[in-house]
Amino acid sequence: MAADSIVLLSLVEEFVSGLQDSKAKDAATCVKDGQFTILELVEALGLSLTSSQPHTRARAVQLLSEVLHDCYGGLTEREVEVLIAFYENRLKDHYVITPAVLQGLRALTKCTVLPPGSAVSMLRSLFQDVHVQSLMLGERACVYNMLINLMATREAELKGLGADFVFGFVQSMDGERDPRNLLLAFQIARTIVLRGYDLGKFTEELFEVTSCYFPIDFSPPPNDPHGITREELVQMLRDVLTGTARFAEFLLPLIIEKLDSDVQSAKLDSLQTLIAGVSKYEHKDVAEYLEGLWASLRREVFQTASEKIEAAGLAALTALTSCLSRSVLNSDSEDSLSTFLQLVLTDCRHHLCEPDLKLVWPSAKLLQAACSASNRASHVVADAVMPALIEQYNGTAQCSQRRTLLEVVQQFVQSVKTCENEESAFSAFRPPLCSMVFSALTETNASLQITATSVLTSLAQQNDLLLDSDVELAVDHLTRLLLTKEDERVSLAVVECAGALAELSSAAFVTNLIPRLKEELFSKPTDQNDSSEASEKHSHHAVRQRCLSALAAVSTQPGVVQESAPVLLEVLGSAHTGGFVFSVEEVVAACGSLRRIAERVQDTEETGRCFHDIIIPRLLSLALQAALQGEGSTGRRSPLLQELVLAAMVPVISTSCFRLQPTLAEQTATRLVSLFLDGDVSFLPDNSFPSNLQLLKQQEDSWSQSQMVCLLLGCVCSLPRTVEVPRLDELMTQLEEMSCTCSHLLSYTSAAKCFAGLANKRAPGESLDCLIQRTTKRVCSELDCASSPVRTQAFTLLIWVAKALLLRYHPLYSTLTDKLFSLLDDADLGPAAADAFWLLMSDSPDILNRGCHADIRIMYRQRFFSENSAKLVQGFNAAPQEKKPNYLKALSNIVNKLPKQVQLTELPALLSLLLEALSCPDHGVQLSTLSCLQPVLIEPPPALIQQLEALVGRLLGLTSSAVMSVRIASLRCIHSISCFPAHEVLPFRARVLRALSRPLDDHKRLVRREAVRARAEWFLLGSPGGS
């Protein structure tokens, strides 16, 4: 014990007299280790604490406080009681001791064993003996943190102080200027108002001491280490000012005053604070200030040039109206809502009768904002406004005024929010509203018709604003416009409106629209003389395209799909048989409509059955008929044989299978596998097919049949991984054989993609490994034989299987990618191998994506790059000069698809190769490298700045490239370099300006535009206000 005492006295002496601050940590360690207690430390400090020198006493108290900071958790209640009494007494000591005393008290406020009453005792001493605002920044923060700690753990005791606590805090905070301490002070004030502390007679004082900072005008210094933002201060202060309705009588006049400010940020902050406040107030809190608030809000919406302030003003009006709507009416109370809305209507309603003047829209927006606040408000506003709007519409014949009035009506309809059981405020005006819309649809003005369709859509989205008879009449109008109006804008608006109405009532579309569209689709152009024949065909083609789009738009309900899908299938059938002449574009559009139906229709078992039993079998049947027909006796070839049409059929099947219920999906997969492996056509309609079909077998002149494998791809590769594909080994064997032996491009490419899609989702195990190893061996043997006639086919299979395995991190993927790297030196396949890396790193739209349930692991691109970048560099260094462009293109294709942060990290190691790629004569390599560099130039790493001389020289050379896209990309990169640190790029200014004079006269407008932008930035470089 004697030794411990000597150690303790030594630590005290060295800290107090020797000014060795590190000894405080040593003393704290000893206390934690139990060598001595806190009270023993106080005894050892006795002489120092009673010294006549204030600085000695301050050092002694500082040592004790720093030890407490580390050891407060181990104190007993008795020790805490003694220490609090000691520190309270020290608050009366010399001012140089106060900072250390506050640090000690702050540590004690963290103790969990504070004796009852000690929190009140500490605060009384603090408020009585310390003038907080005379302290330094750190000491003031210490006081605020003490209050925060005690409010978190001793709330009941502090509330026992009553209003004295609030008064003490107000005195402590009054005059605070540092934003770090303001955050703490606002936090305390927010807790006071939100946790129900007694404000007593100091309500106004607390508001005044906080509201003097409103609105916050603070801009943090650059590179602020504290990270305090204006937004934090604004939000914290807003929480204080709007935290209690007792502040309303002070806050609302303040907001009215601040809205007169010329500072935009102050106005915006005031409006947002008003929104937050009135959401918590009752109508009686705001009733006295309604006229002033309305005058300010009206002025901001009528006169402001800022969209943000206008939007905030409208939101504030909505919030204020909503607050008034919450009032409960009784016989002797004033209806504040009606009083306020009368103010709004008086100032705004008459402007709606002047549709040519600029105040129409501000007035309409204000009324709509009030209307959207509540059901009560919407009824009051609608009853006052709608008769005038309807009368004004019926009394004018000018299309521009009618359109404006319709747009105003639409905004009113959209602003109303009704609950399920509530009647819409516009229900009483349903007949005249419908009359307005239908009369506008009969006009010849396209803009008026478009606006009318928008209003009709809005009416359809409200409860009970359209009856079935209204929908039927609307369908007649829309059908007429669809078939007769040539304006594409009108057609798009009509199709969109029809889709919205179809969700409301599908019966009118089934009985009226679809039969009429079908009739038009299968009608023939009227006979015309030769001069108008081409124009008539074009018009008829446009009508058919609109009909096909409309069929897709209205098919959101299962009942509609059962009527519309057969029409689209009939179009495909007629195009195949030649019963009606349909162009390839129209056939593709019909397939696109089927795809959109599959995407948008409600996912029900009825819908799934429709696709499983009708649509998919019919598509397969038509495609198979076309494939078997080949060249007809008349020499006419079915359009369903064309790749464009097949490519349009694939997403129909894939989207349908993607959304099928698991049972139906499994049945569909079984059907297609049996069709392609066994020639089983029993499920197909019009079953007159031969029995010896072998769609996956190579036969002479059988490309029309083999290319149907793309439809198999659409089905089996879009199924969820939980759906088992039957006879998978046999199917993949046949697909491998076809992809390696078929000579038809679409056939062997589709077979390879289908094989890859199945391999990607196949369960891991020995079976998959053996299959991949067998396929790899076959592919490599074909690729190693330079005279092989199927090298291209094997190469295609290699790419897709490599991608399938890479996405799922299969360990065998590296074997395939290593082979791909080796092909960069191949005389025939080298350029194709370089392009293949783009496919490996890109998202495929039709297969091996998440939409097809593919197995895709996160960050597979980064992993591939980290494992293979060294191989690329080594291969480039070892390759002969004529093969180097292949490596450069492969590198740029890989880097181009990496996330930007990875590019920035890896760029220094690859910069020399990328600069080399800019000198490569291959335009594809140049463009790929430029697209890779451009995003990196926005935030250049140091390695890039060090290579500016080489980079600028190569980029300037590319501005005269023969390829327009290369010229544009190089100019954009030069533009980005102008934003580099000025001292780095100023030496190049004159050189760049001279070089950019040539592209200013380029014969392509897009190149000239980029040259002007780049040269303007470089011209301003170094000048005041420039870069």
Side-chain angles (χ1 to χ4, degrees):
M1 292 299 293
D4 291 342
S5 177
I6 294 173
V7 170
L8 175 57
L9 291 173
S10 174
L11 289 172
V12 169
E13 179 66 22
E14 290 174 349
F15 184 90
V16 175
S17 302
L19 303 180
Q20 298 183 36
D21 291 345
S22 62
K23 296 304 176 181
K25 290 290 184 184
D26 297 340
T29 302
C30 292
V31 172
K32 289 179 181 178
D33 294 342
Q35 295 184 33
F36 46 81
T37 65
I38 287 289
L39 294 183
E40 289 172 343
L41 174 61
V42 174
E43 292 175 3
L45 287 168
L47 292 176
S48 300
L49 292 173
T50 57
S51 170
S52 61
Q53 297 297 319
H55 288 284
T56 300
R57 299 199 301 276
R59 289 290 292 178
V61 176
Q62 182 182 350
L63 174 60
L64 177 60
S65 296
E66 291 189 20
V67 172
L68 281 176
H69 182 269
D70 291 335
C71 304
Y72 65 85
L75 297 177
T76 64
E77 184 174 329
R78 176 57 184 162
E79 290 174 329
V80 172
E81 187 176 359
V82 171
L83 288 168
I84 288 175
F86 166 74
Y87 276 118
E88 287 176 356
N89 182 267
R90 291 301 90 193
L91 284 175
K92 299 178 175 63
D93 205 337
H94 196 276
Y95 69 90
V96 299
I97 303 175
T98 302
V101 175
L102 293 175
Q103 291 178 19
L105 286 173
R106 177 187 175 186
L108 292 175
T109 60
K110 299 179 184 178
C111 291
T112 57
V113 291
L114 278 178
S118 57
V120 171
S121 174
M122 278 191 284
L123 290 185
R124 288 191 185 280
S125 298
L126 178 68
F127 293 150
Q128 180 178 343
D129 298 327
V130 179
H131 183 251
V132 176
Q133 287 306 310
S134 66
L135 300 174
M136 299 296 288
L137 169 67
E139 285 74 57
R140 300 201 305 275
C142 195
V143 171
Y144 297 138
N145 280 305
M146 286 174 56
L147 295 179
I148 290 172
N149 293 338
L150 292 175
M151 293 174 81
T153 59
R154 293 293 186 270
E155 181 178 292
E157 288 187 34
L158 299 191
K159 287 183 177 179
L161 279 170
D164 289 345
F165 173 70
V166 176
F167 178 67
F169 167 69
V170 167
Q171 284 188 314
S172 302
M173 179 187 173
D174 192 10
E176 182 61 65
R177 297 181 61 85
D178 188 271
R180 289 165 286 181
N181 283 343
L182 281 176
L183 269 181
L184 299 174
F186 290 161
Q187 181 180 345
I188 296 168
R190 181 178 65 176
T191 304
I192 288 174
V193 298
L194 294 182
R195 297 293 298 173
Y197 282 75
D198 181 16
L199 305 183
K201 60 184 179 181
F202 300 113
T203 302
E204 185 173 1
E205 282 75 7
L206 179 60
F207 178 82
E208 290 296 336
V209 81
T210 51
S211 65
C212 64
Y213 302 99
F214 178 82
I216 294 288
D217 182 17
F218 169 69
S219 298
N223 304 317
D224 179 18
H226 307 291
I228 296 176
T229 64
R230 177 181 179 276
E231 289 70 25
E232 284 181 297
L233 289 167
V234 166
Q235 187 58 53
M236 194 71 76
L237 178 57
R238 184 176 299 154
D239 291 343
V240 175
L241 299 181
T242 63
T244 173
R246 297 182 64 181
F247 283 168
E249 61 179 307
F250 313 115
L251 177 61
L252 295 178
L254 178 64
I255 288 176
I256 294 173
E257 175 190 340
K258 297 301 181 182
L259 283 175
D260 288 333
S261 169
D262 293 330
V263 180
Q264 299 293 303
S265 60
K267 288 188 175 186
L268 187 61
D269 192 3
S270 299
L271 290 169
Q272 291 171 343
T273 303
L274 176 60
I275 295 170
V278 297
S279 65
K280 301 174 183 177
Y281 297 163
E282 295 182 9
H283 69 98
K284 61 184 179 182
D285 299 319
V286 300
E288 182 182 346
Y289 310 98
L290 289 179
E291 290 189 15
L293 288 171
W294 164 241
S296 297
L297 295 176
R298 178 189 60 200
R299 182 184 64 248
E300 294 311 318
V301 176
F302 275 177
Q303 300 178 6
T304 185
S306 168
E307 291 185 3
K308 284 186 177 180
I309 291 179
E310 179 185 345
L314 295 173
L317 178 57
T318 300
L320 183 57
T321 309
S322 179
C323 169
L324 298 174
S325 300
R326 294 193 292 269
S327 61
V328 179
L329 299 181
N330 52 53
S331 57
D332 58 348
S333 67
E334 182 185 2
D335 187 357
S336 301
L337 176 63
S338 297
T339 304
F340 180 68
L341 290 179
Q342 194 57 46
L343 287 174
V344 178
L345 289 167
T346 301
D347 288 342
C348 295
R349 180 170 47 186
H350 63 279
H351 291 305
L352 299 183
C353 300
E354 305 166 348
D356 286 336
L357 301 182
K358 65 178 183 178
L359 292 181
V360 170
W361 278 113
S363 299
K365 289 178 181 178
L366 286 166
L367 289 168
Q368 289 152 11
C371 189
S372 65
S374 67
N375 192 39
R376 279 180 62 198
S378 66
H379 277 277
V380 173
V381 174
D383 290 344
V385 168
M386 290 308 299
L389 288 174
I390 294 169
E391 181 181 357
Q392 181 79 3
Y393 180 88
N394 293 330
T396 182
Q398 293 185 23
C399 289
S400 60
Q401 291 187 357
R402 284 192 157 198
R403 187 185 67 185
T404 300
L405 291 166
L406 274 179
E407 289 171 347
V408 171
V409 168
Q410 181 187 6
Q411 295 300 320
F412 272 111
V413 173
Q414 290 178 340
S415 67
V416 173
K417 300 177 179 64
T418 56
C419 297
E420 188 173 342
N421 297 324
E422 290 181 344
E423 183 184 24
S424 172
F426 295 94
S427 297
F429 305 101
R430 183 193 61 76
L433 282 175
C434 291
S435 176
M436 289 171 61
V437 172
F438 296 148
S439 69
L441 290 175
T442 60
E443 297 282 353
T444 57
N445 184 277
S447 297
L448 186 57
Q449 291 171 337
I450 292 171
T451 304
T453 60
S454 299
V455 178
L456 192 55
T457 301
S458 301
L459 292 175
Q461 294 167 349
Q462 295 290 326
N463 294 336
D464 302 326
L465 285 189
L466 288 180
L467 303 179
D468 290 342
S469 57
D470 299 324
V471 174
E472 290 180 5
L473 185 55
V475 169
D476 291 339
H477 283 292
L478 296 177
T479 305
R480 176 182 52 80
L481 290 175
L482 197 64
L483 300 181
T484 60
K485 199 70 176 177
E486 295 290 339
D487 193 310
E488 184 177 353
R489 298 173 303 145
V490 176
S491 301
L492 291 174
V494 167
V495 169
E496 182 180 352
C497 180
L501 289 176
E503 295 182 7
L504 175 67
S505 174
S506 59
F509 292 89
V510 172
T511 57
N512 296 347
L513 179 68
I514 294 178
R516 186 71 183 88
L517 295 182
K518 179 180 179 181
E519 179 184 345
E520 188 65 30
L521 282 170
F522 292 98
S523 65
K524 295 181 179 179
T526 57
D527 294 333
Q528 302 284 337
N529 55 43
D530 293 340
S531 61
S532 61
E533 182 177 355
S535 174
E536 178 66 21
K537 286 186 176 179
H538 174 76
S539 176
H540 191 61
H541 171 73
V543 171
R544 281 181 166 179
Q545 292 279 8
R546 296 198 295 270
C547 291
L548 294 171
S549 297
L551 284 173
V554 302
S555 300
T556 57
Q557 307 290 333
V560 181
V561 173
Q562 292 178 356
E563 299 296 329
S564 61
V567 175
L568 295 169
L569 292 172
E570 190 173 344
V571 169
L572 299 181
S574 296
H576 165 62
T577 60
F580 285 88
V581 178
F582 287 93
S583 66
V584 173
E585 292 80 4
E586 291 166 353
V587 176
V588 171
C591 292
S593 294
L594 284 171
R595 175 186 57 79
R596 288 194 294 275
I597 291 173
E599 291 172 344
R600 299 175 64 244
V601 69
Q602 291 180 0
D603 193 4
T604 63
E605 184 176 355
E606 183 181 4
T607 304
R609 281 288 173 191
C610 180
F611 278 93
H612 175 266
D613 295 334
I614 300 174
I615 297 175
I616 295 177
R618 181 62 174 158
L619 285 176
L620 292 171
S621 176
L622 290 171
L624 186 55
Q625 289 176 29
L628 294 174
Q629 172 184 311
E631 291 283 347
S633 57
T634 61
R636 178 188 177 276
R637 178 176 293 176
S638 170
L640 272 59
L641 287 175
Q642 297 203 26
E643 290 188 16
L644 277 176
V645 177
L646 283 173
M649 282 187 179
V650 172
V652 179
I653 294 177
S654 62
T655 306
S656 305
C657 292
F658 176 82
R659 298 192 64 189
L660 283 178
Q661 291 82 5
T663 304
L664 293 178
E666 191 169 338
Q667 293 175 10
T668 300
T670 302
R671 286 178 170 183
L672 266 80
V673 170
S674 298
L675 171 63
F676 279 85
L677 289 181
D678 305 328
D680 180 7
V681 295
S682 58
F683 71 97
L684 299 180
D686 304 326
N687 190 352
S688 57
F689 305 108
S691 58
N692 57 345
L693 285 175
Q694 293 183 320
L695 298 178
L696 295 181
K697 297 289 186 181
Q698 173 70 7
Q699 301 173 15
E700 294 184 7
D701 300 326
S702 65
W703 62 267
S704 60
Q705 297 181 38
S706 63
Q707 70 178 1
M708 283 190 62
V709 72
C710 67
L711 302 181
L712 174 68
L713 156 75
C715 173
V716 296
C717 292
S718 61
L719 298 173
R721 276 176 271 171
T722 54
V723 175
E724 183 178 352
V725 178
R727 302 166 64 182
L728 187 56
D729 287 328
E730 183 182 355
L731 178 61
M732 295 186 72
T733 300
Q734 293 279 11
L735 289 170
E736 177 192 332
E737 183 68 23
M738 175 181 244
S739 62
C740 288
T741 59
C742 183
S743 59
H744 184 243
L745 175 62
L746 177 60
S747 300
Y748 70 72
T749 302
S750 299
K753 291 165 73 173
C754 189
F755 181 92
L758 294 172
N760 173 264
K761 290 193 280 190
R762 186 163 182 174
E766 184 178 352
S767 175
L768 175 61
D769 294 344
C770 291
L771 175 69
I772 298 302
Q773 290 168 356
R774 185 193 71 200
T775 304
T776 303
K777 181 179 179 181
R778 178 172 185 176
V779 166
C780 292
S781 65
E782 296 290 355
L783 291 173
D784 291 339
C785 179
S787 60
S788 172
V790 292
R791 286 192 87 205
T792 303
Q793 290 88 323
F795 176 72
T796 303
L797 182 60
L798 168 71
I799 298 170
W800 284 104
V801 177
K803 182 177 179 68
L805 300 183
L806 169 64
L807 293 178
R808 62 180 288 176
Y809 288 173
H810 193 281
L812 293 177
Y813 94 89
S814 58
T815 306
L816 296 168
T817 54
D818 288 345
K819 183 63 180 177
L820 195 56
F821 281 118
S822 69
L823 290 175
L824 291 172
D825 289 322
D826 190 274
D828 299 322
L829 296 176
D835 290 331
F837 286 97
W838 180 272
L839 189 149
L840 277 184
M841 303 295 283
S842 302
D843 293 324
S844 180
D846 58 344
I847 194 174
L848 294 177
N849 56 55
R850 287 187 169 83
C852 295
H853 302 288
D855 186 355
I856 301 177
R857 306 300 172 88
I858 60 171
M859 297 192 294
Y860 74 90
R861 295 182 179 91
Q862 293 92 310
R863 175 173 176 171
F864 177 76
F865 175 80
S866 64
E867 293 178 354
N868 294 284
S869 58
K871 298 177 185 177
L872 265 177
V873 176
Q874 294 169 4
F876 173 82
N877 294 330
Q881 190 62 37
E882 65 274 11
K883 298 295 190 300
K884 287 183 182 294
N886 295 337
Y887 285 90
L888 294 175
K889 191 170 188 179
L891 174 66
S892 61
N893 283 338
I894 295 173
V895 175
N896 211 0
K897 288 298 180 180
L898 292 176
K900 182 181 176 182
Q901 291 305 317
V902 180
Q903 290 180 353
L904 292 173
T905 304
E906 302 294 341
L907 189 66
L910 301 173
L911 189 57
S912 59
L913 264 68
L914 292 173
L915 292 175
E916 184 78 19
L918 291 178
S919 303
C920 177
D922 188 310
H923 297 308
V925 175
Q926 294 171 355
L927 187 59
S928 180
T929 306
L930 288 169
S931 60
C932 169
L933 281 174
Q934 190 176 344
V936 178
L937 293 175
I938 298 174
E939 297 178 10
L944 190 60
I945 296 179
Q946 294 168 7
Q947 297 283 345
L948 264 182
E949 177 71 37
L951 178 62
V952 171
R954 285 169 170 79
L955 289 175
L956 290 178
L958 292 177
T959 59
S960 57
S961 169
V963 180
M964 183 182 74
S965 56
V966 173
R967 299 200 300 275
I968 291 175
S970 62
L971 287 168
R972 287 175 177 168
C973 290
I974 292 171
H975 186 179
S976 299
I977 292 176
S978 68
C979 299
F980 283 21
H983 67 280
E984 298 284 357
V985 294
L986 268 175
F988 302 97
R989 180 175 180 271
R991 177 183 172 188
V992 171
L993 290 176
R994 284 195 304 270
L996 290 181
S997 61
R998 180 176 178 180
L1000 286 176
D1001 294 327
D1002 197 280
H1003 63 285
K1004 291 293 186 180
R1005 181 182 60 84
L1006 296 178
V1007 177
R1008 295 196 301 272
R1009 183 177 66 182
E1010 294 298 334
V1012 168
R1013 291 175 177 173
R1015 194 171 187 273
E1017 289 297 326
W1018 278 90
F1019 189 83
L1020 293 172
L1021 195 64
S1023 62
S1027 299

